Every structure is written in C-alpha cells, then in structure tokens.
Amino acid sequence: MPKVVIISGSPTPTSRIHGVIEVAKAALIEAGIEVDWIKVRDIPAEDLLYAKFDSEAIVNANALVAGADAVFVATPVYKASYTGVLKAFLDLLPQKGLERKVVLPLAVGGTISHLLAIDYALKPVLSALGAQNILQGVFVLDKQVTWGEQGQAILDDEISARLQQSVADFIQEIKWHTSR
C-alpha cells in the first residue's frame, strides 16, 4: 500500500489549512493510500528551535517522511511565505529527505497577492531537500474555506474542484511512482 505523509506547518489547531487537509486526506484514504499526519506544532518547540536532531519527536517525524512514497506539505502563508514552524522542521530533515518522493505543496493565504508563495518560497526549499517531482501547488484563499455546524470544512465550489483535481493527480503520480 502506498504511503503519504502530510506535513502541516500551521501553528494553530483551528487553522483553515487543517480543514483543507481533512478533505484531501479523505480522498487519499478512499484511494487506498496509507496516510500519516505530522502536525509540526505538536513537536516540542525546544526540539525545533534548538535543532535537536536526536529528539524522539524529530526522529519519529523524520522516520515517517523517510518511509513515505509521497509528501503533502501544507502551510498557511504569513508575511508572503510559509510558516517559521514549518521551516524549523524542514531544516531538521536529512539533506536529501525528499529525494524520490512525489510532493504536493498547498498553501492557504488571506490575499491573492500571496499566490506565488508556493513557487517562490516553498518550492526552492523542497528542491533543496532533494524533491524532483513537485506537483503544481494548490493555493487557497481564506475566504474559500468556511466551517459547517459539525466543525467540518466547507470549501467553495471553485477551490473544491481544484483541490479534487490536484489530489487526483497526486494519487495518480503516487501510483505510477510505486508501481516502478
């Protein structure tokens, strides 16, 4: 069974990014893909800030990434870039930690002027970590995600269609990748 690890760079537990991730995660599971989710905010701050490569939390998170066929990297956009907590974690991955993995980046931002944060801020770091198969990222505006009465994310039609297509492409790439 193919494995995907989701890396969420949101520092808050109620971020819209988590609602979008839940939608994508459901599609991955439905396609028969095993999914693990690293919520970077749950890694002890001291381990991240002091680069404790040998901490149990970092070792376990890095093992999930190493064992995955694909990585879904999701972040809110702050100050026209991905979050600092995500950067702190990515700095602790091995130099070629994303080599031979399919990677799908996703960002949620408050304004369309942050649209290029994926291409100009996140993708170069993913490439530096050895990723060669980085799919076209998905950018979501905050206002395209609302919350339902049961606490579930409700995506507007346009972003729902784009996310579904991107996740379908991701699934296809994963299947091609794991069949070789």
Side-chain angles (χ1 to χ4, degrees):
M1 173 184 294
K3 293 182 180 181
V4 169
V5 66
I6 297 167
I7 301 172
S8 169
S10 176
T12 62
T14 57
S15 174
R16 285 180 174 84
I17 198 90
H18 291 110
V20 178
I21 290 170
E22 288 290 354
V23 172
K25 180 182 172 190
L28 292 166
I29 291 170
E30 186 177 311
I33 295 172
E34 183 181 327
V35 178
D36 287 304
W37 189 346
I38 299 168
K39 296 175 183 171
V40 179
R41 74 169 186 280
D42 292 340
I43 296 174
E46 186 171 295
D47 294 355
L48 293 167
L49 293 175
Y50 293 115
K52 292 186 175 183
F53 288 91
D54 61 345
S55 82
E56 183 178 349
I58 299 298
V59 169
N60 291 341
N62 285 350
L64 288 175
V65 174
D69 299 297
V71 179
F72 182 49
V73 181
T75 182
V77 175
Y78 295 158
K79 308 287 190 248
S81 187
Y82 53 92
T83 61
V85 71
L86 178 60
K87 174 68 165 126
F89 176 69
L90 294 176
D91 284 346
L92 296 174
L93 285 175
Q95 184 61 42
K96 296 295 179 185
L98 298 180
E99 191 171 52
R100 295 187 187 92
K101 299 188 187 307
V102 179
V103 179
L104 177 62
L106 177 126
V108 173
T111 172
I112 197 69
S113 49
H114 291 145
L115 176 65
L116 295 176
I118 292 173
D119 291 330
Y120 291 111
L122 187 56
K123 279 187 177 181
V125 174
L126 300 175
S127 293
L129 289 168
Q132 295 175 323
N133 189 1
I134 304 172
L135 303 183
Q136 182 174 341
V138 179
F139 181 81
V140 179
L141 285 170
D142 280 348
K143 67 182 181 182
Q144 292 176 303
V145 182
T146 57
W147 297 105
E149 291 179 17
Q150 306 301 316
Q152 78 284 10
I154 300 170
L155 309 182
D156 78 14
D157 292 341
E158 187 267 334
I159 194 57
S160 180
R162 277 197 303 120
L163 181 65
Q164 286 175 10
Q165 184 60 57
S166 291
V167 171
D169 293 346
F170 188 46
I171 291 166
Q172 186 61 56
E173 287 287 327
I174 294 165
K175 289 181 178 180
W176 286 337
H177 176 74
T178 57
S179 69
R180 292 185 235 165

